[in-house]
Amino acid sequence: MDTDAETDQARFEPADPDHQIGIDLGLKHFAILSDGTKIENPRFLRRAEKKLKKAQRELSRKQKGSRNRAKARLKLARTHAAVADARREFHHQLSTQLIRENQTIGVEDLAVRALARTRMAKRVHDAGWSPFVTMLEYKAQRYGRTLIKIGRFVPTSQTCHVCDRIDGPKPLHIREWTCPGCHTVHDRDINSAINVKKAAGLGGHSLCSAGKATAPVVAHRSETGSHGLPDVARVA
C-alpha cells in the first residue's frame, strides 16, 4: 500500500542531530550499536535447515519428469522463499528503526565476498549484511539522514576506544580484552562499534578517518516520501 509524502514525513521527522550511532555487524549478534545495544542474529536459514533438508530429500526421491517431482520442487522453492522473506522483513524493520531514531549512522564496509569464501560462508550468507546496508543507504537518502561507510581496513576491533592504542589482531573466540595502555576492559563488539562511530567522525575525533570508504550521503528534502521505493520496502 502506498503512503503519501506527508505520512512519511510524520513517520520520519528530522531526528535530533546528536543522535548518532556506530554499527558493528557480526555473526553471534547481527548488529552491535555504539550505545551498547546488541541485536540478536535470528539465523533464519539455520532454523529452517531441518525443513529444507526434508524437502530436498523428498525431491531427490521423486522420479524425474513426474508431477510429484514438480510438486516437491515447488515445496522446496517455497521453503527457501519463506526464509528469504523472513530475513528481508527483519532487515527492513531494523533498518527503519535505526534510520528513524538516528540522524547520522556509521557502518563498516565489510568484505562480504571474501568472508563468503571461508568456513563461515553459510553464516555470512544467512546474516545478509549486504542487503541490510543497502537498505540503510536508500532509506538514509530518502529520509534526510546521513550514512557514512568506513574502510574495511580500519582496525576497529584492535583499537582501544579510550586511549586509541592498537593492540593487534585477536582470535574470534576472544570476546573481552584489557587494554595494556589504559587498562580498560573492553567488550570486543561494543568497542568495535564505538570505533566505527569514531572512524566515521562522530562523537569525538576521527579514528583513521582516511580509511573512510564513502563520503556522507545526505538526502534532498524533496525526496521525502515513499514514491520511487521498491514495493518490498514498504513493509518497513
Side-chain angles (χ1 to χ4, degrees):
M1 179 178 178
D2 291 341
T3 58
D4 56 39
E6 291 184 1
T7 302
D8 276 350
Q9 283 179 339
R11 292 177 63 209
F12 289 87
E13 58 187 13
D16 187 329
D18 292 333
H19 287 182
Q20 304 172 339
I21 205 80
I23 305 174
D24 178 59
L25 297 174
L27 293 174
K28 181 178 181 181
H29 294 90
F30 177 79
I32 302 90
L33 310 184
S34 54
D35 63 3
T37 302
K38 293 186 176 182
I39 293 130
E40 290 294 328
N41 186 353
R43 296 183 175 90
F44 295 107
L45 181 61
R46 183 176 178 180
R47 284 159 50 183
E49 274 186 330
K50 287 185 178 179
K51 186 180 292 186
L52 286 167
K53 287 180 179 178
K54 181 180 178 181
Q56 185 64 56
R57 283 197 303 268
E58 290 178 355
L59 175 62
S60 64
R61 291 169 183 162
K62 306 302 181 185
Q63 184 177 356
K64 290 184 179 181
S66 67
R67 294 181 64 182
N68 285 337
R69 184 176 178 84
K71 291 179 181 179
R73 184 186 298 110
L74 182 59
K75 182 178 180 181
L76 178 61
R78 284 175 174 168
T79 305
H80 276 291
V83 172
D85 288 345
R87 184 187 298 114
R88 189 181 302 113
E89 178 68 13
F90 168 71
H91 288 165
H92 271 300
Q93 291 182 359
L94 179 57
S95 60
T96 297
Q97 177 185 344
L98 293 171
I99 290 293
R100 180 186 290 119
E101 295 176 352
N102 299 282
Q103 184 60 40
T104 311
I105 297 174
V107 65
E108 190 175 6
D109 182 25
L110 295 168
V112 176
R113 288 186 180 181
L115 289 170
R117 292 194 293 266
T118 69
R119 59 185 176 84
M120 299 185 295
K122 183 183 290 188
R123 297 171 65 191
V124 170
H125 286 304
D126 193 14
W129 295 326
S130 291
F132 173 72
V133 173
T134 298
M135 289 180 189
L136 287 176
E137 287 180 315
Y138 78 69
K139 290 181 184 182
Q141 292 177 338
R142 181 63 63 189
Y143 301 115
R145 304 305 199 249
T146 302
L147 180 71
I148 302 173
K149 285 184 177 181
I150 69 164
R152 65 190 61 171
F153 299 111
V154 178
T156 55
S157 64
Q158 304 176 26
T159 306
C160 170
H161 76 264
V162 177
C163 68
D164 290 339
R165 178 189 176 110
I166 299 178
D167 195 40
K170 297 166 183 60
L172 287 176
H173 70 273
I174 302 296
R175 309 316 303 171
E176 286 189 355
W177 59 281
T178 302
C179 174
C182 65
H183 307 295
T184 303
V185 178
H186 294 296
D187 177 291
R188 178 193 184 111
D189 298 326
I190 295 175
N191 178 69
S192 294
I194 294 173
N195 282 329
V196 169
K197 182 178 179 181
K198 290 177 67 177
L202 310 175
H205 65 280
S206 176
L207 172 71
C208 301
S209 58
K212 290 181 186 176
T214 63
V217 178
V218 183
H220 297 293
R221 287 297 176 191
S222 61
E223 293 180 344
T224 305
S226 64
H227 53 279
L229 287 179
D231 289 341
V232 69
R234 292 173 187 148
V235 299

